[in-house]
Amino acid sequence: YLGFYRHGCVCAVGSFQNVALALADPGYVLPVVVGAFFVLPLLFALFFGRVFCSAVCPLGQAQEVVLLRAVKVPRWVNQALGILPFLYLGVAVLYAALGSAFLVCRYDPFVLFFRLGGNVEMLVFGVAVLLLATVVGRPYCRFLCPYGALLRLIAPFARWRVRTTPTECVNCHLCADACPYGAIQPPNVTDARIGRLEGRSRLAWLVAGFPLILAAGGFLGWQSAPVLAKLDPTVSLANRVWLEEHGK
C-alpha cells in the first residue's frame, strides 16, 4: 500500500521535512495526512519500539525481500556508520526549513521503483542499494534513513519493546549471531553495571560542556550564515540579480 499503491509518497520517512518547513514558514500549511504519517510511528515507538521500521515501512521491505545471506558487519563499523542518519537528518531539516529542497524525497533510492520510472542516476543508486542489501541487512535503514534516526532516539523508552533480559540470558549468542542487522548485543550483567556508570559520567560531562557546545554552535552558525542563506531560493535569486546588475 505505502509502496506501489501510493508510489512511495507520502511516507513517514520524508514527512519530517514537511513538519520542518511548517515550523519555519508560517505561510506553509502542513497537510493533516502528512502530519499523521510523521506522528503516528513516533507514538507507536513510544509503546512498542520501532515497529514502523520492522513491519510498515516500504523502504525496509524493499530491502528485506532481496536479502540472501547477510554478512556480519563489524561492530565498530556499524557504530561509525550509525552516525550518518543523524547527520543526514540535520542537513535535510536545514534544507527543508529554508525551503530549498526536500532532500530525502529527492534522493529516495526506491521511490522510482514504486513509480516504475524516473531518471537514470537515481535508478542506478536504487539498484546499487538493493545489490548491497542482498548481503548487508537493510543498509539504507541502518546507515542512511533519517526518520529511523528519530525512531532510534525514542525506541529505548518504549514500554513493551522487545528486549533480552540479562538475568535470564545464558549468553549462548545464538540470537546475536542470527540477527542480520547487528541489532542484538549479547547482554552481560557486569557490562550493564559498567554501562550505567559510564552513562552517568558521560551525562555529567555533557551537562558541564553544554555552555561550550552552545557557544560553539552559535559561532559556527554565525560563520556559516552567508553560505547557508544562499540555500534559500529567494536569497539565491536576489544574489544572482545583484551580481548581474553589478556586472559580476
Side-chain angles (χ1 to χ4, degrees):
Y1 172 75
L2 293 176
F4 292 104
Y5 184 80
R6 292 190 63 93
H7 302 296
C9 185
V10 176
C11 71
V13 175
S15 61
F16 72 90
Q17 299 168 114
N18 300 79
V19 174
L21 181 58
L23 293 174
D25 183 3
Y28 176 77
V29 178
L30 179 68
V32 175
V33 174
V34 178
F37 270 112
F38 172 74
V39 171
L40 287 177
L42 297 177
L43 289 177
F44 271 87
L46 274 176
F47 292 96
F48 308 108
R50 295 167 63 178
V51 291
F52 174 81
C53 297
S54 62
V56 181
C57 180
L59 305 185
Q61 302 312 313
Q63 298 164 85
E64 190 77 33
V65 297
V66 300
L67 179 62
L68 300 176
R69 185 178 179 84
V71 175
K72 194 172 183 63
V73 178
R75 186 175 180 181
W76 67 270
V77 175
N78 204 36
Q79 291 177 341
L81 294 179
I83 300 173
L84 293 180
F86 294 97
L87 296 176
Y88 192 12
L89 173 65
V91 173
V93 167
L94 178 63
Y95 269 72
L98 293 174
S100 300
F102 281 11
L103 293 182
V104 177
C105 301
R106 179 179 296 180
Y107 299 108
D108 183 335
F110 305 124
V111 71
L112 300 184
F113 291 125
F114 297 139
R115 295 176 183 175
L116 303 178
N119 64 70
V120 176
E121 292 81 6
M122 287 309 300
L123 284 173
V124 170
F125 177 47
V127 170
V129 174
L130 287 177
L131 288 175
L132 180 61
T134 60
V135 292
V136 176
R138 299 197 182 199
Y140 181 84
C141 301
R142 293 161 64 185
F143 308 129
L144 272 180
C145 180
Y147 193 73
L150 284 176
L151 293 173
R152 193 188 306 178
L153 294 174
I154 296 176
F157 303 101
R159 180 70 178 83
W160 297 290
R161 67 188 176 96
V162 177
R163 66 186 72 198
T164 305
T165 308
T167 55
E168 298 177 3
C169 178
V170 297
N171 274 318
C172 67
H173 295 193
L174 290 176
C175 60
D177 293 338
C179 179
Y181 314 114
I184 302 176
Q185 299 300 329
N188 184 287
V189 176
T190 304
D191 290 344
R193 204 174 288 125
I194 294 174
R196 284 196 295 271
L197 293 174
E198 290 178 349
R200 291 171 185 170
S201 176
R202 188 180 304 171
L203 178 61
W205 278 106
L206 286 174
V207 171
F210 189 66
L212 293 176
I213 295 173
L214 283 179
F219 177 76
L220 290 174
W222 174 60
Q223 290 290 324
S224 59
V227 177
L228 294 177
K230 294 179 182 178
L231 296 176
D232 186 275
T234 304
V235 175
S236 178
L237 178 60
N239 184 62
R240 187 187 308 171
V241 171
W242 185 89
L243 291 175
E244 290 177 356
E245 289 179 347
H246 291 78
K248 296 182 179 182

